[in-house]
Amino acid sequence: KKEDNDEHTEEAIDAGNVIWEFDKEGDLIKGLSGVHHSNTNPLWIDLICDPNTFINIAEHIRPAIHNLTIEDCLTEDCREKLEIFKDYLFICLKTASDDH
């Protein structure tokens, strides 16, 4: 769903991108099934959820996410890194925010 009062969402839409927000994991999984990505049309997934929900969603992401990437996503103390896989990049960053 698009948040009309979120200026970051507006900027992303103006740049030709779309930001979706889902309240239920099933809705996200259904949404991902219709998304096609390529080198010229990449897909960015930023998931903020509990570990069980993340595992359920990760099982439906295609191309498949490597098991070690899933393990890194579930680890609070994952070190900052960039890993380059054949079909995706995994980026782990630390931010100054205490929100997430």
Side-chain angles (χ1 to χ4, degrees):
K1 68 184 178 184
K2 177 179 165 263
E3 299 291 333
D4 291 328
N5 59 358
D6 184 359
E7 67 184 56
H8 296 294
T9 302
E10 291 296 329
E11 289 173 14
I13 290 171
D14 290 343
N17 298 318
V18 177
I19 294 176
W20 293 324
E21 293 181 17
F22 296 94
D23 295 324
K24 298 176 185 171
E25 76 181 68
D27 292 340
L28 172 61
I29 291 167
K30 287 178 192 172
L32 286 173
S33 67
V35 174
H36 302 284
H37 62 86
S38 65
N39 289 339
T40 57
N41 186 29
L43 175 65
W44 176 276
I45 301 175
D46 184 5
L47 296 175
I48 301 171
C49 56
D50 64 87
N52 289 333
T53 300
F54 178 81
I55 291 170
N56 289 336
I57 292 168
E59 291 174 351
H60 292 86
I61 295 174
R62 296 294 176 261
I65 297 174
H66 193 280
N67 288 339
L68 292 176
T69 302
I70 293 172
E71 183 179 319
D72 283 341
C73 290
L74 298 174
T75 303
E76 279 190 39
D77 296 330
C78 180
R79 62 183 173 82
E80 291 183 313
K81 61 181 162 179
L82 165 65
E83 293 181 335
I84 301 172
F85 292 89
K86 179 182 178 230
D87 293 316
Y88 68 95
L89 300 176
F90 174 68
I91 304 169
C92 182
L93 300 172
K94 304 289 184 193
T95 64
S97 173
D98 289 334
D99 293 344
H100 305 290

